[in-house]
C-alpha cells in the first residue's frame, strides 16, 4: 500500500504516524498518509514563506511551470483517474471529467500569468493634476493557504494552487482527509514541472487539528477555502483582517418553464442532480416545474433516473457510485425517510447498500423538511410545481444560499428577468445550476460565500492592487503631452 508524506518542499517526508485512506466503494484502505503534527505545519508555512522571500518567478517562468504541469496531468491522466475513483468513489466518467478540467485550469492559469495587469488612473481628470501619472500594479500577497473539500480533490486544489502561483505567491494546501492522495499527486506534478522548492507545501490531517493551526498562523496572508458554510464561518473568524476567498455551501435550484425544451431539460437535470452521487455544490436539489408540464417533466425525469446504473464506480457503465462515507449515506437515507413519513412522495425507489444510495426523485416536499431547507449533498432531487415565473423566482431566492441557479425557457424576456432577479453568483439559461466552465468567474453570494474562482478572477483575489503616482515636472506640459 502506497504511503504519502507531507510535501514541505520538493521532497515528501515519509515519517510520523499514518492514517489510512479508504477506497470509498470497497470500504478498505488503498493508501496511507503521514499526518502533520504542529511542528510539521509550522515548518510547512515557514518553508512557503522562505520560498516566497527567496525566489520570485517571472510571469513567463510561471507560465512555463504551469503549462508543463498541464501537460504532465494529461500524461498521467489514467493514474489520476484511478486515484480519484478509489479515494472519492466517483465514477470513471466523473473522474475523467475532473482530470480534463484540471488540465484546463492549469492551462488558463498559465495563460493568465502573462497578463496580470493593473490599470491607468486618469489623474489628469482632476483640476491641476495633469502633471501626475497614475497606474496600479498587481503585487503577490505572500503565502496563500488552500483548504479544500473532498468533492473535487484535483480540480478544486488546482483552482487554488495554480492561480496563486500565477499571481506570484507560494502555497500551503490542506486537502480533505477523505481525499488527500490527489493533492499529493498534483504537488508531484508541479514539482516535476519545475516549481521552485518550497513554493508548494501540502500537509495532511484533520480540519480541526491541521486546519485550525493553519488558520492561526499569522504568516499566512490569504485563505482560499472551499467547503461547508459552517467551516467557512469559523475560518473567516480566525482570518480576522486577512483576506479570504470563501466558496461555501449551497441549495441549488433550477426552473423549467412550460415553453422549454423539456427533453433537453430532463436530460441535463438528471446529470446535474446525480453526477458524483449528488455531491457537487451546484447539484440540482430543488427543481421548479411549471404546472402545465409538471407531470410530463416528472415522467421524463423518472424514466431517465430508472435507466441510471448505480454501484461500482470502476465499471465504465456506472452513472452513480457511492457517497463519500457510509455515515453520509445513512444521513441522506434518514432525511428522505423522514420526508416521506411527513408526506413527501417518492417518484423513484429509495435503496441504500453501504455508501451507495440510489438516485431519488421526490415531490410534495414541505419547506420544513430537511431535504428542502438543508444542503442534501447527496443523490436527491425534489420537484416543486409553480404557476407564474414570479412564484418560481421567489422559490429560488427563498434560501440562505446563493451560489448558482438555472432556468430552461425559450423566451428571452423570461430568461433575462430571471437573470436580473435571481440572487445567486451564477445564473444559467437553458442549463442547470451545475454547469461550469473553469475559466469563468465562479462564486456565490449570501451564505454561499464571497470571492471568485476562475484563474483570471482568483488571481485578482490573490494579489493586491498598489497605486503608483509619478509626479512629473509641470512645465513640460503642452500640446500632445
Ligand atoms: P467541510 O467539511 O467544510 O471541509 C472542507 C475542508 O475544511 C476540509 O479540508 C476540512 O478538513 C476542513 N476543515 C474542517 N474544519 C476545519 C476547521 N475548523 N478549520 C480549518 N479547516 C477545517 O466540507 P466537505 O464536506 O469536505 O465538502 C462539502 C461542502 O463543500 C459542501 O457544503 C459544498 O457545498 C461545499 N462546496 C462548495 C463549493 C463552492 O464552490 N461553493 C464547491 C465544492 C464544495 P477535514 O474534513 O479533512 O477534517
Amino acid at each position: 500500500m502506497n504511503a504519502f508524506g507531507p510535501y514541505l518542499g520538493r521532497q515528501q517526508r515519509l515519517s510520523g504516524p499514518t492514517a489510512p485512506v479508504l477506497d470509498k466503494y470497497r470500504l478498505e484502505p488503498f493508501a496511507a498518509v503521514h499526518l502533520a503534527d504542529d511542528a510539521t505545519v509550522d515548518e510547512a508555512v515557514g518553508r512557503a514563506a522562505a520560498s516566497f522571500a527567496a525566489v520570485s518567478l517571472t510571469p513567463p517562468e510561471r507560465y512555463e511551470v504551469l503549462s508543463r504541469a498541464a501537460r504532465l496531468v494529461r500524461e498521467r491522466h489514467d493514474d489520476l483517474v484511478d486515484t480519484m475513483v478509489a479515494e472519492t468513489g466517483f465514477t470513471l466518467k466523473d473522474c475523467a471529467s475532473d482530470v480534463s478540467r484540471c488540465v484546463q485550469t492549469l492551462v488558463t492559469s498559465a495563460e493568465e500569468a502573462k497578463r496580470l495587469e493593473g490599470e491607468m488612473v486618469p489623474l489628469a481628470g482632476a483640476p491641476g493634476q495633469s502633471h501626475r501619472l497614475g497606474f496600479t500594479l498587481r503585487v503577490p500577497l505572500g503565502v496563500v493557504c488552500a483548504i479544500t473539500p473532498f468533492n473535487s480533490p484535483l480540480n478544486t486544489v488546482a483552482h487554488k494552487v495554480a492561480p496563486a502561483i500565477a499571481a506570484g505567491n507560494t502555497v500551503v494546501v490542506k486537502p480533505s482527509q477523505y481525499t488527500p492522495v490527489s493533492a499529493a499527486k498534483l504537488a508531484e506534478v508541479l514539482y516535476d514541472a519545475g516549481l521552485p522548492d518550497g513554493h508548494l507545501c501540502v500537509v495532511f490531517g484533520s480540519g480541526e487539528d491541521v486546519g485550525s493551526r493553519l488558520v492561526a498562523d499569522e504568516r499566512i496572508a490569504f485563505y482560499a477555502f472551499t467547503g461547508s458554510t459552517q467551516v467557512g464561518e469559523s475560518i473567516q473568524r480566525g482570518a480576522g483582517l486577512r483576506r479570504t476567498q470563501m466558496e461555501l455551501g449551497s441549495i441549488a435550484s433550477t426552473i423549467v418553464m412550460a415553453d422549454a425544451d423539456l427533453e433537453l431539460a430532463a436530460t441535463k437535470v438528471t446529470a446535474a442532480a446525480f453526477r458524483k452521487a449528488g455531491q457537487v455544490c451546484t447539484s440540482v436539489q430543488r427543481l421548479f416545474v411549471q404546472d402545465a408540464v409538471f407531470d410530463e417533466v416528472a415522467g421524463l425525469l423518472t424514466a431517465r433516473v430508472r435507466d441510471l446504473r448505480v454501484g461500482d464506480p470502476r465499471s465504465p457503465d456506472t452513472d452513480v457510485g457511492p457517497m463519500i462515507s457510509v455515515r453520509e449515506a445513512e444521513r441522506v437515507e434518514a432525511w428522505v425517510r423522514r420526508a416521506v413519513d411527513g408526506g413527501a412522495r417518492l417518484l423513484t425507489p429509495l435503496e441504500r447498500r453501504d455508501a451507495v444510495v440510489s438516485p431519488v426523485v421526490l415531490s410534495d416536499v414541505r419547506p420544513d423538511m430537511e431535504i428542502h431547507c438543508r444542503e442534501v449533498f447527496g443523490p436527491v432531487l425534489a420537484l416543486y410545481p409553480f404557476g407564474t415565473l414570479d412564484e418560481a423566482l421567489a422559490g429560488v431566492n427563498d434560501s440562505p444560499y446563493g451560489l448558482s441557479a438555472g432556468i430552461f425557457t425559450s423566451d428571452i424576456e423570461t430568461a433575462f428577468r430571471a437573470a436580473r432577479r435571481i440572487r445567486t453568483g451564477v445564473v444559467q439559461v437553458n442549463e442547470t445550476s451545475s454547469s461550469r466552465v473553469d475559466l469563468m468567474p465562479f462564486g456565490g453570494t449570501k451564505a454561499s460565500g464571497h470571492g471568485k474562482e476562475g484563474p483570471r478572477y482568483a488571481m485578482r483575489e490573490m494579489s493586491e492592487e498598489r497605486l503608483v503616482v509619478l509626479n512629473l515636472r509641470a512645465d513640460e506640459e503642452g500640446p500632445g503631452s
Side-chain angles (χ1 to χ4, degrees), residues 359-374:
V360 173
V361 183
L362 291 141
S363 65
D364 302 299
V365 170
R366 283 201 326 265
D368 60 336
M369 294 173 174
E370 288 143 316
I371 53 168
H372 175 86
C373 61
R374 297 180 65 182

PDB file of all heavy atoms in Angstrom, residues 359-374:
ATOM      1  N   PRO A 359     -30.412   6.948  -6.745  1.00  0.00           N
ATOM      2  CA  PRO A 359     -30.878   8.312  -7.018  1.00  0.00           C
ATOM      3  C   PRO A 359     -32.383   8.439  -6.749  1.00  0.00           C
ATOM      4  O   PRO A 359     -33.161   7.591  -7.176  1.00  0.00           O
ATOM      5  CB  PRO A 359     -30.569   8.516  -8.502  1.00  0.00           C
ATOM      6  CG  PRO A 359     -30.251   7.187  -9.063  1.00  0.00           C
ATOM      7  CD  PRO A 359     -29.903   6.272  -7.945  1.00  0.00           C
ATOM      8  N   VAL A 360     -32.742   9.474  -6.012  1.00  0.00           N
ATOM      9  CA  VAL A 360     -34.118   9.611  -5.529  1.00  0.00           C
ATOM     10  C   VAL A 360     -34.757  10.876  -6.094  1.00  0.00           C
ATOM     11  O   VAL A 360     -34.156  11.951  -6.043  1.00  0.00           O
ATOM     12  CB  VAL A 360     -34.111   9.706  -3.978  1.00  0.00           C
ATOM     13  CG1 VAL A 360     -35.497  10.015  -3.454  1.00  0.00           C
ATOM     14  CG2 VAL A 360     -33.575   8.430  -3.370  1.00  0.00           C
ATOM     15  N   VAL A 361     -35.989  10.738  -6.614  1.00  0.00           N
ATOM     16  CA  VAL A 361     -36.776  11.904  -7.037  1.00  0.00           C
ATOM     17  C   VAL A 361     -38.023  11.946  -6.164  1.00  0.00           C
ATOM     18  O   VAL A 361     -38.691  10.928  -5.962  1.00  0.00           O
ATOM     19  CB  VAL A 361     -37.182  11.807  -8.522  1.00  0.00           C
ATOM     20  CG1 VAL A 361     -37.939  13.070  -8.944  1.00  0.00           C
ATOM     21  CG2 VAL A 361     -35.963  11.584  -9.406  1.00  0.00           C
ATOM     22  N   LEU A 362     -38.317  13.135  -5.614  1.00  0.00           N
ATOM     23  CA  LEU A 362     -39.452  13.296  -4.697  1.00  0.00           C
ATOM     24  C   LEU A 362     -40.343  14.451  -5.132  1.00  0.00           C
ATOM     25  O   LEU A 362     -39.860  15.405  -5.754  1.00  0.00           O
ATOM     26  CB  LEU A 362     -38.942  13.661  -3.303  1.00  0.00           C
ATOM     27  CG  LEU A 362     -38.186  12.635  -2.510  1.00  0.00           C
ATOM     28  CD1 LEU A 362     -37.050  13.320  -1.777  1.00  0.00           C
ATOM     29  CD2 LEU A 362     -39.100  11.963  -1.511  1.00  0.00           C
ATOM     30  N   SER A 363     -41.604  14.376  -4.733  1.00  0.00           N
ATOM     31  CA  SER A 363     -42.473  15.545  -4.870  1.00  0.00           C
ATOM     32  C   SER A 363     -43.199  15.738  -3.534  1.00  0.00           C
ATOM     33  O   SER A 363     -42.982  14.972  -2.587  1.00  0.00           O
ATOM     34  CB  SER A 363     -43.469  15.349  -6.013  1.00  0.00           C
ATOM     35  OG  SER A 363     -44.343  14.288  -5.675  1.00  0.00           O
ATOM     36  N   ASP A 364     -44.057  16.729  -3.484  1.00  0.00           N
ATOM     37  CA  ASP A 364     -44.835  17.037  -2.263  1.00  0.00           C
ATOM     38  C   ASP A 364     -43.930  17.281  -1.054  1.00  0.00           C
ATOM     39  O   ASP A 364     -44.212  16.807   0.062  1.00  0.00           O
ATOM     40  CB  ASP A 364     -45.845  15.913  -1.964  1.00  0.00           C
ATOM     41  CG  ASP A 364     -46.796  15.686  -3.116  1.00  0.00           C
ATOM     42  OD1 ASP A 364     -47.538  16.618  -3.482  1.00  0.00           O
ATOM     43  OD2 ASP A 364     -46.756  14.576  -3.713  1.00  0.00           O
ATOM     44  N   VAL A 365     -42.869  18.001  -1.302  1.00  0.00           N
ATOM     45  CA  VAL A 365     -41.911  18.312  -0.235  1.00  0.00           C
ATOM     46  C   VAL A 365     -42.332  19.612   0.443  1.00  0.00           C
ATOM     47  O   VAL A 365     -42.687  20.580  -0.236  1.00  0.00           O
ATOM     48  CB  VAL A 365     -40.495  18.451  -0.855  1.00  0.00           C
ATOM     49  CG1 VAL A 365     -39.510  19.001   0.153  1.00  0.00           C
ATOM     50  CG2 VAL A 365     -40.031  17.105  -1.389  1.00  0.00           C
ATOM     51  N   ARG A 366     -42.300  19.610   1.770  1.00  0.00           N
ATOM     52  CA  ARG A 366     -42.702  20.824   2.517  1.00  0.00           C
ATOM     53  C   ARG A 366     -41.467  21.608   2.962  1.00  0.00           C
ATOM     54  O   ARG A 366     -40.391  21.043   3.162  1.00  0.00           O
ATOM     55  CB  ARG A 366     -43.515  20.427   3.747  1.00  0.00           C
ATOM     56  CG  ARG A 366     -44.964  20.017   3.477  1.00  0.00           C
ATOM     57  CD  ARG A 366     -45.796  20.149   4.765  1.00  0.00           C
ATOM     58  NE  ARG A 366     -45.007  19.838   5.958  1.00  0.00           N
ATOM     59  CZ  ARG A 366     -44.965  18.644   6.539  1.00  0.00           C
ATOM     60  NH1 ARG A 366     -45.668  17.644   6.046  1.00  0.00           N
ATOM     61  NH2 ARG A 366     -44.230  18.459   7.615  1.00  0.00           N
ATOM     62  N   PRO A 367     -41.652  22.942   3.169  1.00  0.00           N
ATOM     63  CA  PRO A 367     -40.492  23.793   3.492  1.00  0.00           C
ATOM     64  C   PRO A 367     -39.760  23.412   4.771  1.00  0.00           C
ATOM     65  O   PRO A 367     -38.583  23.707   4.909  1.00  0.00           O
ATOM     66  CB  PRO A 367     -41.107  25.192   3.637  1.00  0.00           C
ATOM     67  CG  PRO A 367     -42.410  25.127   2.931  1.00  0.00           C
ATOM     68  CD  PRO A 367     -42.877  23.717   2.950  1.00  0.00           C
ATOM     69  N   ASP A 368     -40.461  22.738   5.717  1.00  0.00           N
ATOM     70  CA  ASP A 368     -39.768  22.420   6.968  1.00  0.00           C
ATOM     71  C   ASP A 368     -38.973  21.111   6.886  1.00  0.00           C
ATOM     72  O   ASP A 368     -38.288  20.735   7.836  1.00  0.00           O
ATOM     73  CB  ASP A 368     -40.782  22.353   8.127  1.00  0.00           C
ATOM     74  CG  ASP A 368     -41.850  21.290   7.885  1.00  0.00           C
ATOM     75  OD1 ASP A 368     -42.083  20.962   6.695  1.00  0.00           O
ATOM     76  OD2 ASP A 368     -42.431  20.782   8.849  1.00  0.00           O
ATOM     77  N   MET A 369     -39.033  20.426   5.769  1.00  0.00           N
ATOM     78  CA  MET A 369     -38.308  19.136   5.667  1.00  0.00           C
ATOM     79  C   MET A 369     -36.826  19.384   5.405  1.00  0.00           C
ATOM     80  O   MET A 369     -36.456  20.304   4.682  1.00  0.00           O
ATOM     81  CB  MET A 369     -38.893  18.292   4.521  1.00  0.00           C
ATOM     82  CG  MET A 369     -40.314  17.843   4.792  1.00  0.00           C
ATOM     83  SD  MET A 369     -41.025  17.038   3.338  1.00  0.00           S
ATOM     84  CE  MET A 369     -42.596  16.482   4.028  1.00  0.00           C
ATOM     85  N   GLU A 370     -35.980  18.523   5.976  1.00  0.00           N
ATOM     86  CA  GLU A 370     -34.521  18.695   5.792  1.00  0.00           C
ATOM     87  C   GLU A 370     -34.148  18.718   4.318  1.00  0.00           C
ATOM     88  O   GLU A 370     -33.277  19.497   3.908  1.00  0.00           O
ATOM     89  CB  GLU A 370     -33.771  17.553   6.485  1.00  0.00           C
ATOM     90  CG  GLU A 370     -33.790  17.652   7.996  1.00  0.00           C
ATOM     91  CD  GLU A 370     -33.904  16.291   8.652  1.00  0.00           C
ATOM     92  OE1 GLU A 370     -34.728  15.464   8.189  1.00  0.00           O
ATOM     93  OE2 GLU A 370     -33.169  16.049   9.622  1.00  0.00           O
ATOM     94  N   ILE A 371     -34.787  17.872   3.524  1.00  0.00           N
ATOM     95  CA  ILE A 371     -34.387  17.815   2.107  1.00  0.00           C
ATOM     96  C   ILE A 371     -34.773  19.085   1.366  1.00  0.00           C
ATOM     97  O   ILE A 371     -34.355  19.293   0.229  1.00  0.00           O
ATOM     98  CB  ILE A 371     -34.954  16.584   1.365  1.00  0.00           C
ATOM     99  CG1 ILE A 371     -36.454  16.501   1.549  1.00  0.00           C
ATOM    100  CG2 ILE A 371     -34.268  15.316   1.794  1.00  0.00           C
ATOM    101  CD1 ILE A 371     -37.064  15.492   0.596  1.00  0.00           C
ATOM    102  N   HIS A 372     -35.563  19.959   2.020  1.00  0.00           N
ATOM    103  CA  HIS A 372     -35.852  21.260   1.410  1.00  0.00           C
ATOM    104  C   HIS A 372     -34.928  22.345   1.951  1.00  0.00           C
ATOM    105  O   HIS A 372     -34.377  23.130   1.202  1.00  0.00           O
ATOM    106  CB  HIS A 372     -37.308  21.663   1.684  1.00  0.00           C
ATOM    107  CG  HIS A 372     -37.621  23.043   1.186  1.00  0.00           C
ATOM    108  ND1 HIS A 372     -38.005  23.289  -0.111  1.00  0.00           N
ATOM    109  CD2 HIS A 372     -37.544  24.254   1.792  1.00  0.00           C
ATOM    110  CE1 HIS A 372     -38.167  24.593  -0.276  1.00  0.00           C
ATOM    111  NE2 HIS A 372     -37.893  25.198   0.863  1.00  0.00           N
ATOM    112  N   CYS A 373     -34.782  22.379   3.263  1.00  0.00           N
ATOM    113  CA  CYS A 373     -34.164  23.573   3.855  1.00  0.00           C
ATOM    114  C   CYS A 373     -32.694  23.379   4.243  1.00  0.00           C
ATOM    115  O   CYS A 373     -32.068  24.317   4.704  1.00  0.00           O
ATOM    116  CB  CYS A 373     -34.981  24.065   5.044  1.00  0.00           C
ATOM    117  SG  CYS A 373     -35.099  22.871   6.357  1.00  0.00           S
ATOM    118  N   ARG A 374     -32.129  22.183   4.046  1.00  0.00           N
ATOM    119  CA  ARG A 374     -30.701  21.988   4.313  1.00  0.00           C
ATOM    120  C   ARG A 374     -30.020  21.463   3.054  1.00  0.00           C
ATOM    121  O   ARG A 374     -30.682  20.863   2.194  1.00  0.00           O
ATOM    122  CB  ARG A 374     -30.519  21.006   5.481  1.00  0.00           C
ATOM    123  CG  ARG A 374     -31.116  21.595   6.765  1.00  0.00           C
ATOM    124  CD  ARG A 374     -30.957  20.680   7.930  1.00  0.00           C
ATOM    125  NE  ARG A 374     -29.566  20.476   8.282  1.00  0.00           N
ATOM    126  CZ  ARG A 374     -29.151  19.667   9.268  1.00  0.00           C
ATOM    127  NH1 ARG A 374     -30.039  18.991   9.975  1.00  0.00           N
ATOM    128  NH2 ARG A 374     -27.872  19.530   9.544  1.00  0.00           N
TER     129      ARG A 374
END
